[in-house]
Amino acid sequence: MMKLLADSTCDISQDVLTSYSIDLIPLTVTIEGTDYQDRIDITTDSYFQKLQAGSEQASTGAPSPRLYADVFQKAVDDGHKEILCICMSSGTSASYQSGELGKSQFLEEHPESDVKIHILDSKSMSHGSGWLLMKSAQMRDNGYSFEDIVHFVETHKTKVNHYLSVDDLSHLIRSGRISGASAVIGKLLNIKPIMSMKDGKGAVVAKERGRNRVFKHYIEEFSKRIDTEQTNFVLIGYTTDRQVALDLQDKLRSETTFTGDIYIMQMGVAVATHVGPGGLSLFFMEK
């Protein structure tokens, strides 16, 4: 059976990863000189507790090529001949490039190997790459071939729709997504930027005043854009406030015709440090 891997920015919950036998390759999260492995040594809740206690905002680093090569080796040792590894967009992280280097390193060390390894530049962030990961797992379990799955994710990866809104604009300022002046005005007017992916990078696509307007924007765009044939499940992400994610789930159920599965999952530290508290996201495949 094909082995599925992903870097930790996919933000898929551990219960789902376990159910699909998916392994993660953690990014490094550095806080005041101490390195942590994303989702292994540190959780999102504990990270924001550190911030509230006065710690500096974390920086993140991609997994090393050596780590990728070692994970590929473990998959082969476990009997897998086909490996699909889904990485965060190369426009926002060096994870994909590191994965390609790790693949080359593994093949150089094992020139006799006939294993097939495909590294996907998902052109997505957070649960966007996670959506492709879960879809791949479903296709694998439904009998699709490795080649069919690779073709699907490469063909459809730019159709995974992302919407992300935040409460605390300071984290977006530090990541260079919006200006300080925009943040001050936004805070005064209770304006919440909504971000999506454009050409593999995050971009502000709308600005709404207040949470209810954010909900309205999400529901309208979802209803207009969803590919009903491909979107059999939706992912809702959050950083600190699960109730807001539950509220969005309720609105999807009551205000749209969608009847598929809705998963609510917390973002990992590697993503949440750039989003900040109060982040809310929605992911599905568009037409």
Side-chain angles (χ1 to χ4, degrees), residues 17-269:
L17 293 173
T18 301
S19 69
Y20 286 127
S21 299
I22 299 170
D23 292 340
L24 291 189
I25 304 165
L27 271 72
T28 299
V29 176
T30 303
I31 306 173
E32 296 183 343
T34 301
D35 290 339
Y36 302 87
Q37 295 180 87
D38 185 28
R39 300 184 54 174
I40 297 176
D41 303 326
I42 189 168
T43 66
T44 303
D45 289 336
S46 64
Y47 169 63
F48 282 112
Q49 289 171 2
K50 288 178 180 291
L51 282 185
Q52 290 176 346
S55 293
E56 296 178 358
Q57 184 174 339
S59 60
T60 58
S64 68
R66 179 72 265 166
L67 179 56
Y68 273 104
D70 290 344
V71 173
F72 299 153
Q73 179 65 65
K74 181 180 182 304
V76 172
D77 290 344
D78 289 341
H80 297 286
K81 293 293 187 180
E82 299 165 334
I83 300 171
L84 173 59
C85 181
I86 297 180
C87 298
M88 189 176 186
S89 174
S90 61
T92 58
S93 169
S95 183
Y96 167 72
Q97 289 89 340
S98 189
E100 286 286 6
L101 289 172
K103 172 184 173 179
S104 297
Q105 191 168 339
F106 171 81
L107 294 176
E108 287 173 4
E109 293 170 354
H110 304 279
E112 77 291 346
S113 177
D114 60 353
V115 65
K116 299 176 182 178
I117 303 175
H118 187 84
I119 314 296
L120 180 75
D121 179 358
S122 70
K123 300 298 182 183
S124 299
M125 62 178 291
S126 187
H127 296 107
S129 58
W131 197 96
L132 290 167
L133 184 65
M134 286 182 61
K135 192 71 169 182
S136 297
Q138 292 175 356
M139 293 179 69
R140 177 199 63 190
D141 293 351
N142 284 325
Y144 284 83
S145 70
F146 176 73
E147 289 76 15
D148 286 342
I149 296 170
V150 168
H151 177 75
F152 178 88
V153 293
E154 286 287 3
T155 301
H156 291 85
K157 63 186 181 182
T158 59
K159 295 182 179 180
V160 178
N161 212 311
H162 302 54
Y163 290 110
L164 167 68
S165 64
V166 300
D167 275 346
D168 184 348
L169 300 172
S170 63
H171 294 260
L172 286 176
I173 296 171
R174 293 191 187 102
S175 64
R177 299 305 182 195
I178 60 173
S179 69
S182 295
V184 171
I185 294 171
K187 187 172 184 179
L188 289 173
L189 299 178
N190 193 25
I191 291 175
K192 300 181 186 299
I194 296 176
M195 300 186 69
S196 188
M197 295 295 285
K198 299 291 184 183
D199 300 321
K201 296 182 179 181
V204 175
V205 295
K207 296 177 183 178
E208 299 290 354
R209 184 174 294 180
R211 179 70 72 188
N212 287 335
R213 292 289 302 176
V214 170
F215 283 149
K216 185 174 185 292
H217 183 96
Y218 279 18
I219 296 301
E220 288 178 350
E221 292 299 308
F222 177 82
S223 298
K224 180 172 62 177
R225 295 178 180 273
I226 183 174
D227 182 333
T228 55
E229 291 187 7
Q230 297 294 349
T231 304
N232 59 312
F233 66 93
V234 166
L235 300 182
I236 297 175
Y238 71 97
T239 53
T240 56
D241 191 346
R242 181 176 174 82
Q243 185 57 53
V244 175
L246 289 167
D247 291 343
L248 177 57
Q249 176 182 242
D250 290 343
K251 287 184 177 295
L252 285 170
R253 290 299 189 203
S254 63
E255 299 180 22
T256 77
T257 59
F258 182 71
T259 59
D261 294 325
I262 299 176
Y263 296 87
I264 296 176
M265 302 179 185
Q266 189 173 28
M267 300 175 207
V269 179

Side-chain angles (χ1 to χ4, degrees), residues 9-23:
T9 66
C10 72
D11 290 341
I12 297 299
S13 61
Q14 188 57 52
D15 60 325
V16 173
L17 293 173
T18 301
S19 69
Y20 286 127
S21 299
I22 299 170
D23 292 340

